[in-house]
Amino acid sequence: MSPVDVTRGDSPVILGLPHTGTHVPSDILARLNDRGRELTDTDWHVHELYADLLPGATTVRATFHRYVIDANRPPEDESLYPGQNTTGLVPLTDFDGEPIWETAPDAAETARRLAAFHAPYHAALAAEIERVRARHGVAILYDCHSIRSVIPYLFKGTLPDFNIGTANGTTCAPGIAEAVADACARAEGYTHVQNGRFKGGWTTRHYGRPETGVHAIQMELAQSTHLTAEAAPFALDPDKAARLRPHLAGILARIEALTPELAL
């Protein structure tokens, strides 16, 4: 299986999907313990939520699971949130802080996975960003994520529904963050926050360089917005999804409409 699936479009917007893949090669699966094999920390159904919402959007989706290697962590494995609980390049625990490996990968195995999975995903993403920027003079990377709304190991209380990350305003033009926040604020019955617990992962921080015409923003959805229950089997709730999708479509349409004023 290819580590990355790319669908090219003619929009200036690129959807990054680093955590929706569930493929775990058999040799790696054999090293996971029973808890790890549940793949609990998947961004369940996020690729389905965004499917066909913005005509012409390019999508770059990792097909491998984040337990194989996390495509949204720096290859040097530096912490994105120093001083806070988090998971690393190859997670050793799940989001509840529980071990997931019978045999944890060593440095050589991590390097192998970097080359086989992480690097191809980012090579594909970087190529699409360059292609889109060459065409439009600007590329807008919208990184799509989700997470359970209550995870005491990672954060206190209940997560807002829409979590917008721009690394404190550094990864995209202010107008993009403002447009997304305004769309979230207008979504009746939903809550939102900018640069709260999740400020954007390595993808957002690495590619977001507004001065070069590349803008990046992360959206972390609370899974309570679209799952029947935030527990196995993590089924998509059709009614919740039908209510949520128009708001996501509105967000994407608004950031696409900003292209003329962003183009260098």
Side-chain angles (χ1 to χ4, degrees), residues 105-124:
D106 58 16
E109 173 64 11
T110 297
R112 184 188 74 81
R113 296 186 198 180
L114 266 173
F117 301 98
H118 192 282
Y121 174 77
H122 283 284

Side-chain angles (χ1 to χ4, degrees), residues 147-160 163 197-198 222 224 230:
I147 194 168
R148 284 176 286 145
S149 60
V150 177
I151 307 179
Y153 181 72
L154 295 183
F155 51 82
K156 296 179 180 179
T158 301
L159 202 66
N163 298 267
R197 174 60 179 87
F198 298 103
S224 55
E230 295 177 294

Side-chain angles (χ1 to χ4, degrees), residues 6-121:
V6 176
T7 302
R8 287 180 172 170
D10 57 7
S11 169
V13 176
I14 300 165
L15 304 183
L17 295 156
H19 292 154
T20 65
T22 56
H23 176 63
V24 181
S26 58
D27 61 319
I28 297 177
L29 186 66
R31 300 177 128 202
L32 287 166
N33 62 24
D34 289 343
R35 188 178 182 98
R37 292 179 188 183
E38 294 175 0
L39 306 183
T40 298
D41 300 327
T42 306
D43 287 14
W44 299 104
H45 306 287
V46 165
H47 57 299
E48 298 170 59
L49 287 176
Y50 284 98
D52 304 318
L53 289 186
L54 183 67
T58 292
T59 62
V60 181
R61 181 184 178 224
T63 60
F64 54 92
H65 194 264
R66 69 188 304 156
Y67 291 170
V68 175
I69 196 162
D70 194 329
N72 201 33
R73 296 292 185 271
E76 300 82 11
D77 203 17
E78 299 168 350
S79 177
L80 295 172
Y81 297 98
Q84 295 177 280
N85 288 338
T86 187
T87 54
L89 180 63
V90 175
L92 299 180
T93 71
D94 61 17
F95 287 165
D96 296 309
E98 298 296 331
I100 58 174
W101 298 99
E102 291 284 358
T103 306
D106 58 16
E109 173 64 11
T110 297
R112 184 188 74 81
R113 296 186 198 180
L114 266 173
F117 301 98
H118 192 282
Y121 174 77

Side-chain angles (χ1 to χ4, degrees), residues 247-259:
H247 297 300
L248 298 177
I251 289 169
L252 297 180
R254 289 186 68 167
I255 62 176
E256 183 184 55
L258 293 171
T259 303

